[in-house]
Amino acid sequence: MADDYYKTLEIPRDASPADIQKAYRALARKYHPDLHPDDKSAKDKFKAVQAAFDVLNDPSKRELYDRYGSSFDKMGAGGPPPRGGYAGGGQAAPGFEDFDFSQFFGERFGGAQGGQGDPGGGGFADLLNQFRRGNSGGRAQKKGRPASGGNNVQSEMPISFQRAVTGGEEQLSVNHPSGKTETLTVKIPPGVQDGSKIRLRGQGDPGPGGGTPGDILLTLRVASHPYFQRRGNHLDVKVPVTLAEAVLGGKIDVPTPRGVITLRLPPRTSGGTKLRAKGRGVTPKTGEPGDLFAEIQIVLPPEIDAETTEAIRKLGEKPASNPRSELRW
């Protein structure tokens, strides 16, 4: 049984052109194969929606479809409707036979060009056309369909923390409704954040009737980093140091987005101290670069001998301020 295009687009038979386009956009997003890669039936549903839209969005094709139903494509050259058919595309009442409406009304009213017997003075041709359209109520008809743009496709793209900070290129596989798979190169600007949008122009759904394709709208999803955290354009990193380095001071190497840098650790540095490297954070495409903040974490050795333990004990016995004196609830 042939598909009912109106049911496919979930619209009534008297739907306006705007209603048709609105329904098509909603269903195209609902069944687009790229948005439902795990649904094997999505591709067939998308094709059915596209086929229904191609007919109902074209006024001339829609008029033929309304008159002849699924056999409309055989009537483009002016052939007769199927035996027993009627203007609405369904079956006529039992006992009806095919006949030439123009001859029937011509004998009754004296011609088909609005002669003396033409009721209402509006012209028999108009009456006949309304009857053949199934009394469409004067729906505006436009011959042909101007090319229009295709739908935009929305998707999410995961990228690494490093790629978001430094920028670069990522590969994106796109499955088109035709079944063709295309690999696109996506340029990621430096400094993008989670939720940033990228538009790939002309890579979305093809436009009906040869119209301009839509775009792909990508939402970037940035993964977390095991050591670095981001605050705007600033970067925070916790840097472990030995007890000896914290007590005696020295130089420590710290990785950054633009290579390893050397920071000077002052003697007697307490855990939690933050060293600032100006301009070593995120450098966006536009705007000022952020800073890198290295928070010192003192790491004790897994084993401490008796001599070292005694030295630390004696160090703790020396008069000193209470490090928790300012601690409050």
Side-chain angles (χ1 to χ4, degrees):
M1 181 177 179
D3 292 336
D4 185 327
Y5 289 157
Y6 288 98
K7 289 184 179 180
T8 299
L9 292 184
E10 302 176 4
I11 55 176
R13 301 190 73 85
D14 60 351
S16 67
D19 292 336
I20 293 173
Q21 294 180 11
K22 181 179 179 181
Y24 168 73
R25 288 193 293 268
L27 292 174
R29 288 193 296 268
K30 181 178 180 181
Y31 296 123
H32 197 287
D34 289 350
L35 302 180
H36 305 280
D38 298 329
D39 186 355
K40 296 182 179 179
S41 64
K43 184 176 181 180
D44 292 334
K45 292 177 181 178
F46 181 83
K47 288 182 178 179
V49 168
Q50 183 70 54
F53 177 75
D54 287 344
V55 172
L56 299 185
N57 194 49
D58 186 322
S60 58
K61 289 183 181 180
R62 181 181 181 182
E63 182 178 354
L64 290 173
Y65 179 75
D66 288 345
R67 291 166 60 185
Y68 305 125
S70 60
S71 302
F72 80 97
D73 55 341
K74 300 178 182 177
M75 300 299 151
R83 186 175 184 84
Y86 78 112
Q91 294 299 317
F96 276 29
E97 299 291 340
D98 290 341
F99 55 87
D100 189 330
F101 286 107
S102 63
Q103 291 180 4
F104 177 80
F105 283 107
E107 293 172 359
R108 179 91 176 262
F109 298 114
Q113 302 300 326
Q116 294 180 352
D118 186 3
F124 170 73
D126 292 338
L127 176 64
L128 180 59
N129 286 336
Q130 279 195 8
F131 185 86
R132 284 181 169 172
R133 286 197 297 266
N135 295 321
S136 63
R139 183 176 63 243
Q141 301 289 324
K142 291 184 179 180
K143 299 299 180 181
R145 178 181 67 213
S148 57
N151 287 327
N152 293 334
V153 177
Q154 299 190 30
S155 184
E156 293 187 348
M157 182 176 185
I159 61 174
S160 67
F161 186 94
Q162 294 91 327
R163 180 67 71 209
V165 171
T166 62
E169 294 183 349
E170 294 284 347
Q171 302 299 312
L172 176 68
S173 294
V174 177
N175 297 319
H176 293 282
S178 62
K180 176 184 176 183
T181 300
E182 183 179 8
T183 300
L184 304 177
T185 298
V186 181
K187 294 183 178 180
I188 309 296
V192 296
Q193 302 204 43
D194 185 73
S196 297
K197 308 286 187 180
I198 290 182
R199 181 186 295 268
L200 304 180
R201 297 191 179 277
Q203 300 296 336
D205 287 346
T212 303
D215 303 334
I216 293 180
L217 304 178
L218 293 177
T219 300
L220 301 181
R221 295 303 178 196
V222 180
S224 60
H225 194 284
Y227 304 109
F228 286 83
Q229 291 184 335
R230 182 173 176 178
R231 293 181 294 112
N233 288 334
H234 296 316
L235 290 178
D236 295 321
V237 59
K238 294 181 178 180
V239 180
V241 299
T242 66
L243 179 60
E245 288 174 325
V247 173
L248 302 176
K251 296 180 179 180
I252 56 175
D253 293 336
V254 178
T256 76
R258 299 198 303 276
V260 177
I261 61 174
T262 300
L263 295 179
R264 181 177 294 280
L265 186 67
R268 299 178 299 281
T269 297
S270 299
T273 300
K274 291 185 178 181
L275 305 180
R276 179 180 182 180
K278 189 173 179 59
R280 289 290 182 167
V282 180
T283 303
K285 187 175 181 179
T286 58
E288 295 294 325
D291 301 334
L292 176 73
F293 293 87
E295 180 180 343
I296 300 302
Q297 284 189 323
I298 299 174
V299 179
L300 299 178
E303 296 182 1
I304 301 178
D305 57 30
E307 182 180 355
T308 303
T309 301
E310 181 62 19
I312 295 175
R313 187 184 65 79
K314 290 181 178 179
L315 181 64
E317 292 177 351
K318 293 182 179 180
S321 60
N322 183 359
R324 294 176 293 281
S325 61
E326 301 296 328
L327 188 63
R328 296 285 188 276
W329 172 249

